[in-house]
Amino acid sequence: MVSPTPVTFGLPTQPASYSWEATDEEVAARYGIPIGDIVRFDLNTSPSPPDLAARVLAAGIFDAPLAEYPPSDYRRLVETAASVYGVATDELVVGAGADEILDLVGKAFLPAGGRAVIPVPTYAMYRVVTEQRGATAVLVPRLGADRDYALDLAATRTAAADAEVVWLCSPNNPTGLPEPDGEIETLLDVVAVDAMVAGRAPAIVVLDEAYAEFVGASLLALRHRHPNLVIVRTASKAYALAGLRVGFGIAQPETIARIVPYRPPGSVSTVSLTVVTEALADPTGMRANVARVDAERERLADALREAGWSVGPTVTNFLLVELASVERAAEVATELLRRGLVPRTFGPGHPLAHALRLTIRDRAGNDRLIAAAREIDGTGGSAP
Ligand SMILES: Cc1ncc(COP(=O)(O)O)c(C=O)c1O
């Protein structure tokens, strides 16, 4: 089954690469829709940036003159982020989005020929980073939908015993829920014990908390006991600043010091540094965004369920909709695209090829999705 939207598939001779959905322009051209009518449900972003972004840009006062490179230590951003996350400045590294942090972790800790554990389904970049390092991605299936796609702790532990990196994501993208309480802590403990018994260093455990603000909880405190834990945060999701490309890695100072040599001197622009520093210092916009998602999440999920779709539980700004088959998922995706609504599809062979992921947008955008679901369901039903 071919995805209804153009995606890129690497040839066997090419390194693994990330696949995007069609751009606004491509969707508009293909379906004859005005570009302004397109709503993106595929990227887990937010409908609008915080108000302060426009104010900072209009004021035109940035951390450095725009003719110069950004301050190479990103000092004001580092200090502000450290205080927001409650960590020391030497416990944090800044990257061009969480994605660059994942890449830096790969460079620092994943040798060619090494192994990285990926509980799947999860965020696609872990596999991309792993394979681009010339390492092997050890895919460990998560428990099923009936177990909320939680980690298979025993299998993950076994796989971690001879791996350099374990990629965790909580709340998990695309399945929407955090790991059950205590599970990640237990995994860190057993990984440490197993490594000690084997006389080797424990795998670096990356915990991607890109969606943490939507739950209001974080496992940052676990870094005190686990020098092999790297937590990843971002300005892209709850802070609604994905276009600025700012993310953070947080770990014990010695661990950060092993990542920093791989950081390019200026991958984060001066404009991004300035705006994100202000957004972190004044989280009003972030809180309003989280409140918007809180207000819309159940309304959207319930309306889609009433339309006959099987919507999983979520604490994030996106929903996972499981359809009756891979074919039905492709049909529904096409029907959405024809209406200018862009879902996230999962490629052939993906464990969620029969599902679509849909970002929770603003009320008007969500209403269009609900109306579309009601119409589409009339075209043949979809719930498993
Ligand atoms: C789990 C997860 N990690 C990282 C990212 C990328 O974040 P950033 O925009 O900060 O690179 C995403 C974006 O969808 C994500 O879902």
Side-chain angles (χ1 to χ4, degrees):
M1 172 55 59
V2 175
S3 168
T5 52
V7 290
T8 52
F9 295 106
L11 299 170
T13 50
Q14 289 179 329
S17 59
Y18 189 82
S19 305
W20 288 269
E21 300 295 341
T23 62
D24 287 4
E25 288 76 10
E26 286 164 341
V27 175
R30 182 143 30 119
Y31 296 95
I33 307 162
I35 203 156
D37 285 359
I38 291 169
V39 185
R40 302 219 62 110
F41 287 89
D42 60 326
L43 292 167
N44 299 349
T45 47
S46 306
S48 45
D51 292 341
L52 64 74
R55 284 203 301 277
V56 174
L57 293 175
I61 300 165
F62 299 111
D63 282 46
L66 295 188
E68 301 297 338
Y69 288 105
S72 61
D73 58 0
Y74 303 144
R75 194 163 114 206
R76 234 167 47 88
L77 178 60
V78 167
E79 284 170 356
T80 308
S83 116
V84 166
Y85 296 127
V87 305
T89 51
D90 61 357
E91 292 184 300
L92 184 136
V93 58
V94 175
D99 280 349
E100 189 176 57
I101 301 294
L102 305 179
D103 199 54
L104 298 181
V105 167
K107 286 176 173 154
F109 299 113
L110 248 186
R115 294 162 73 81
V117 179
I118 310 180
V120 288
T122 192
Y123 182 46
M125 280 304 286
Y126 311 139
R127 183 171 187 175
V128 172
V129 168
T130 301
E131 294 185 350
Q132 289 188 348
R133 300 306 310 149
T136 301
V138 181
L139 308 183
V140 176
R142 290 171 170 274
L143 303 177
D146 53 331
R147 303 281 300 276
D148 290 335
Y149 291 106
L151 275 183
D152 181 335
L153 192 62
T156 309
R157 172 186 190 171
T158 305
D162 59 355
E164 281 80 18
V165 169
V166 178
W167 301 104
L168 303 181
C169 184
S170 182
N172 187 44
N173 171 12
T175 51
L177 290 180
E179 297 305 334
D181 281 352
E183 210 69 351
I184 290 175
E185 190 167 1
T186 303
L187 181 67
L188 282 162
D189 286 340
V190 295
V191 164
V193 169
D194 291 349
M196 206 193 311
V197 170
R200 72 189 283 274
I204 291 288
V205 176
V206 179
L207 174 56
D208 185 341
E209 292 192 330
Y211 300 94
E213 291 85 357
F214 294 111
V215 224
S218 164
L219 294 180
L220 268 168
L222 290 180
R223 80 191 185 287
H224 293 303
R225 284 203 297 117
H226 295 283
N228 58 326
L229 176 64
V230 179
I231 304 232
V232 179
R233 303 291 292 263
T234 179
S236 295
K237 305 301 180 184
Y239 285 93
L241 289 168
L244 295 183
R245 313 302 304 122
V246 175
F248 305 95
I250 300 170
Q252 287 190 9
E254 296 71 22
T255 309
I256 293 296
R258 292 175 66 191
I259 300 173
V260 166
Y262 296 91
R263 176 176 81 73
S267 61
V268 179
S269 80
T270 301
V271 173
S272 298
L273 292 179
T274 309
V275 177
V276 172
T277 301
E278 299 309 322
L280 288 171
D282 173 6
T284 319
M286 183 274 282
R287 291 200 189 114
N289 195 33
V290 171
R292 168 191 62 83
V293 172
D294 280 346
E296 284 291 288
R297 190 186 288 112
E298 285 319 306
R299 187 184 81 86
L300 178 61
D302 287 348
L304 295 181
R305 285 186 192 115
E306 272 164 34
W309 287 5
S310 171
V311 182
T314 180
V315 295
T316 63
N317 66 337
F318 57 84
L319 307 173
L320 187 72
V321 177
E322 299 202 47
L323 296 137
S325 63
V326 176
E327 291 72 20
R328 184 62 188 154
E331 281 165 20
V332 171
T334 304
E335 287 298 322
L336 291 173
L337 285 163
R338 283 183 348 101
R339 293 163 174 83
L341 312 177
V342 186
R344 180 64 165 144
T345 57
F346 301 98
H350 190 284
L352 291 173
H354 62 288
L356 300 175
R357 196 193 64 201
L358 298 165
T359 306
I360 300 165
R361 305 290 310 187
D362 61 11
R363 194 173 174 95
N366 296 337
D367 281 344
R368 282 184 58 195
L369 181 62
I370 293 166
R374 289 180 183 143
E375 287 171 19
I376 294 168
D377 199 52
T379 68
S382 54

